Amino acid sequence: MFLGLQWYWWLGIAAVLAVSIPLKIRFVKWQSRRRQEQDRRGKWGDGE
């Protein structure tokens, strides 16, 4: 097989990528929203 791995290893790698990529996208969006909220409140968390 390709690079010496059996077909079921490639299936496992594909499954891990199929799950991890959407989770990473969701995390990046959440992190950017959180950062924007912190910027609106001010550097030290002042709401005023």
Side-chain angles (χ1 to χ4, degrees):
M1 291 300 288
F2 188 66
L3 292 177
L5 294 177
Q6 296 294 327
W7 65 270
Y8 49 84
W9 285 109
W10 287 112
L11 189 63
I13 291 170
V16 167
L17 287 176
V19 170
S20 66
I21 290 173
L23 288 176
K24 180 178 170 109
I25 291 170
R26 185 179 294 174
F27 174 75
V28 168
K29 286 182 180 180
W30 170 80
Q31 191 177 26
S32 91
R33 260 197 323 260
R34 186 171 167 253
R35 188 171 292 148
Q36 285 176 356
E37 289 174 5
Q38 285 179 347
D39 288 345
R40 268 190 243 131
R41 282 191 309 221
K43 185 174 182 180
W44 303 107
D46 300 341
E48 302 161 22

